[in-house]
Amino acid sequence: MAEKARRYGLFLAGLFVMALGIALMVKAKLGTSPISSLPYIFSLRFTAISLGSFTILWNLLLILGQVVVLRRKFRWYQLIQIPLTLVFGAFVDLAKELLGFLNPENYLFQAAVLLFGCLVLAFGVSLTVLAGVIMNSGEAFVAAVAEQTGKDFGLVKVFFDSSLVLLSAGLSFAFFGMVTGVREGTVIAALLSGFIIRIFNRLLGPAAERWLTGSQAGEETASR
């Protein structure tokens, strides 16, 4: 029971760190991650609705997509993604409020904030992966498509992210008559995030697993 509590605590911490990463990238105004690009574009067009609210709607759609794709193979415990999605959306809005003071105008400052946001986002994703409880809605949807089509997860992920970027760019042009919200930062996030996540997983994996399972405490007790 204690291990499960630690795992879900780590997962929630990862969600909050991810929200901070997204908020930092939004503040940089150089584009956000591919998975967040659609809710970001909608939040720019419909300003009365928060980015967190659109993030919730988008993730709920991805959960529904898993049900449609997997049909009878859908594992119903995955519906725990729903309350976690609500929490994540609230975290995104909270993170934007916390970073309200940040308003970089100089391009170099914007680029620095963007890169730091990519780093923070990747760290958050790594924490959710290391928690080992459930996949994020976006990753779970990609995994569902890969399972049903028999295609490699990485290949499906690249296609999914590329499609989101193109769709977001198209919606941006339709809404504003120009491409906005999808910029070089979106490409940078797509290229760097996976690489950084793998580094964090390698660096933090062994220590995180010892803490989650309580094996370190057990080893100390045994040594006495």
Side-chain angles (χ1 to χ4, degrees):
M1 190 67 177
E3 179 182 340
K4 183 174 287 189
R6 284 194 291 268
R7 288 187 180 278
Y8 275 99
L10 184 61
F11 188 88
L12 289 173
L15 289 184
F16 181 68
V17 175
M18 285 174 60
L20 281 175
I22 291 171
L24 282 165
M25 295 178 72
V26 167
K27 286 290 183 177
K29 301 173 186 174
L30 296 177
T32 186
S33 64
I35 192 67
S36 300
S37 57
L38 271 180
Y40 182 45
I41 293 300
F42 276 102
S43 72
L44 291 176
R45 173 62 179 84
F46 304 99
T47 55
I49 304 175
S50 71
L51 175 59
S53 297
F54 276 120
T55 299
I56 290 172
L57 292 173
W58 171 229
N59 280 277
L60 290 176
L61 185 61
L62 289 172
I63 296 170
L64 177 61
Q66 295 169 47
V67 177
V68 172
V69 169
L70 291 174
R71 291 169 296 206
R72 284 179 291 183
K73 291 183 180 178
F74 181 77
R75 303 164 185 87
W76 292 103
Y77 75 84
Q78 293 283 352
L79 289 178
I80 197 173
Q81 293 175 69
I82 294 176
L84 293 174
T85 287
L86 300 179
V87 171
F88 182 51
F91 279 165
V92 169
D93 284 340
L94 175 60
K96 284 193 67 182
E97 287 294 324
L98 293 175
L99 296 174
F101 66 92
L102 189 62
N103 188 32
E105 297 296 338
N106 177 276
Y107 186 82
L108 288 178
F109 188 20
Q110 288 177 292
V113 172
L114 172 78
L115 291 173
F116 183 59
C118 286
L119 187 68
V120 172
L121 177 61
F123 179 56
V125 173
S126 178
L127 293 181
T128 64
V129 171
L130 293 174
V133 289
I134 199 165
M135 298 178 76
N136 295 317
S137 302
E139 303 294 312
F141 177 76
V142 171
V145 174
E147 179 182 339
Q148 286 298 89
T149 60
K151 302 295 184 182
D152 178 72
F153 177 89
L155 181 63
V156 177
K157 174 68 172 169
V158 170
F159 179 79
F160 179 63
D161 286 350
S162 301
S163 299
L164 289 180
V165 171
L166 291 174
L167 180 58
S168 298
L171 282 173
S172 175
F173 189 80
F175 287 155
F176 308 109
M178 58 183 292
V179 176
T180 184
V182 180
R183 291 185 53 180
E184 57 269 36
T186 307
V187 178
I188 292 171
L191 293 175
L192 291 183
S193 294
F195 176 71
I196 301 173
I197 290 167
R198 285 193 292 273
I199 292 176
F200 277 132
N201 286 347
R202 284 200 299 268
L203 292 176
L204 302 176
E209 189 60 25
R210 285 196 300 271
W211 177 72
L212 289 168
T213 60
S215 61
Q216 189 171 15
E219 290 170 6
E220 291 175 356
T221 301
S223 66
R224 294 173 187 171

